[in-house]
Amino acid sequence: MKDESLKSQFGQSERVVNKVQDFQEDEELFRYCTLPEVLKYVECFTGPNIMAMHTMLINKLPDSEMQTFLHPMHQDLHYFPFRPASRIVCAWTAMERADQDNGCLVVQPGTHRTALKPHGYPDLEGKTNKLFHGLLEEDEKIPKVHLVMEKGDTVFFHPLLIHGSGINRTSGFRKSISCHFASSECHYIDVKNTTQEHLEKELQDMVSKKYNATSVELKVRLGSVPFVTNQVSSLS
């Protein structure tokens, strides 16, 4: 994912690319998802039959004025058409110090006990990037906690936890790596007539425009990258 407004200035450099998604085919990056140090905690949520469902390398760009890369408060389950939520977990690791200056994670503890809420493009002062959806209504009474993390620190969180990240007010880049894991016993759902239906439509429109297609049908891939923890834990 790139900041198109900077593409002509910086080509393919880190000054343009803000996310690399679905890196499961990259041997070195995917090694993160197989680390025993990560999986021993993941298994507490998913059970022993684990699948890596969504991978992401994040490069939060300097963004002090436009607020393009502020990620509004949201719930990750909004993006996932599979359930149950209780068998899904995200592992998020800081690749360098993350704090309020460079846009660290912000969470609302306890909100993982709530239901999935309606999401969309919130009314913000700056421009919001495509698919950076957020809650349409926020409960300001729930305290927000900034997760200041050092390089290598890792947080594991539930897909219903309300969280987001601020803008990067520094001249550097805030990098992190993450993977959403789920139990292989999870099942896919039909998002028709749910709060996620408009997201499906937006994805279809994006694919149609990119590939100049007259119609697009999204199909579920019944399995991402499965593995069993007692096999992975033997890796050195």
Side-chain angles (χ1 to χ4, degrees):
M1 296 178 65
K2 303 171 186 175
D3 185 328
E4 294 299 324
S5 66
L6 299 175
K7 189 175 180 180
S8 60
Q9 300 179 50
F10 302 110
Q12 300 294 319
S13 77
E14 68 178 351
R15 294 181 177 274
V16 176
V17 178
N18 70 303
K19 282 185 182 180
V20 176
Q21 301 210 66
D22 298 324
F23 56 66
Q24 64 272 6
E25 303 302 329
D26 185 288
E27 183 178 354
E28 181 58 27
L29 290 177
F30 189 71
R31 194 165 62 85
Y32 168 77
C33 304
T34 70
L35 292 174
E37 298 92 334
V38 171
L39 293 178
K40 70 177 181 180
Y41 294 107
V42 169
E43 186 176 3
C44 297
F45 296 86
T46 63
N49 299 318
I50 303 171
M51 299 188 74
M53 303 302 292
H54 178 237
T55 52
M56 190 159 55
L57 183 71
I58 303 165
N59 179 45
K60 185 178 278 287
L61 306 176
D63 193 26
S64 59
E65 295 181 4
M66 296 298 294
Q67 299 188 38
T68 307
F69 297 107
L70 178 150
H71 201 149
M73 300 300 282
H74 64 282
Q75 297 166 298
D76 286 342
L77 192 65
H78 169 67
Y79 295 99
F80 299 145
F82 47 88
R83 302 290 189 274
S86 60
R87 305 295 295 278
I88 304 169
V89 67
C90 177
W92 194 101
T93 299
M95 297 176 69
E96 52 204 332
R97 179 179 168 84
D99 53 36
Q100 287 180 253
D101 290 334
N102 63 8
C104 65
L105 287 175
V106 183
V107 303
Q108 291 184 299
T111 52
H112 66 287
R113 301 186 184 93
T114 62
L116 180 60
K117 302 179 184 301
H119 288 62
Y121 290 108
D123 186 15
L124 298 173
E125 292 182 9
K127 181 182 178 182
T128 302
N129 266 338
K130 274 288 191 183
L131 299 180
F132 274 43
H133 292 178
L135 297 179
L136 295 181
E137 292 186 10
E138 283 191 51
D139 186 347
E140 299 296 341
K141 297 178 182 178
I142 302 177
K144 293 180 180 177
V145 177
H146 290 81
L147 300 187
V148 176
M149 302 169 67
E150 299 298 333
K151 180 179 180 179
D153 285 352
T154 301
V155 61
F156 298 83
F157 56 89
H158 191 283
L160 284 171
L161 179 74
I162 296 174
H163 66 288
S165 63
I167 61 176
N168 180 1
R169 301 178 185 277
T170 73
S171 59
F173 305 89
R174 194 222 69 192
K175 294 183 175 66
S176 59
I177 189 169
S178 71
C179 179
H180 279 88
F181 298 91
S183 167
S184 63
E185 282 82 40
C186 283
H187 61 276
Y188 285 92
I189 65 168
D190 186 348
V191 299
K192 294 290 190 296
N193 299 315
T194 73
T195 60
Q196 294 171 270
E197 184 175 10
H198 71 94
L199 175 58
E200 179 184 53
K201 179 64 166 58
E202 183 175 359
L203 287 170
Q204 289 174 324
D205 290 344
M206 288 175 66
V207 172
S208 178
K209 182 178 180 181
K210 182 174 182 178
Y211 297 103
N212 195 27
T214 55
S215 64
V216 175
E217 180 182 1
L218 299 181
K219 292 186 177 181
V220 170
R221 181 176 59 177
L222 293 175
S224 196
V225 185
F227 45 85
V228 181
T229 52
N230 62 5
Q231 295 176 331
V232 177
S233 60
S234 64
L235 295 177
S236 58

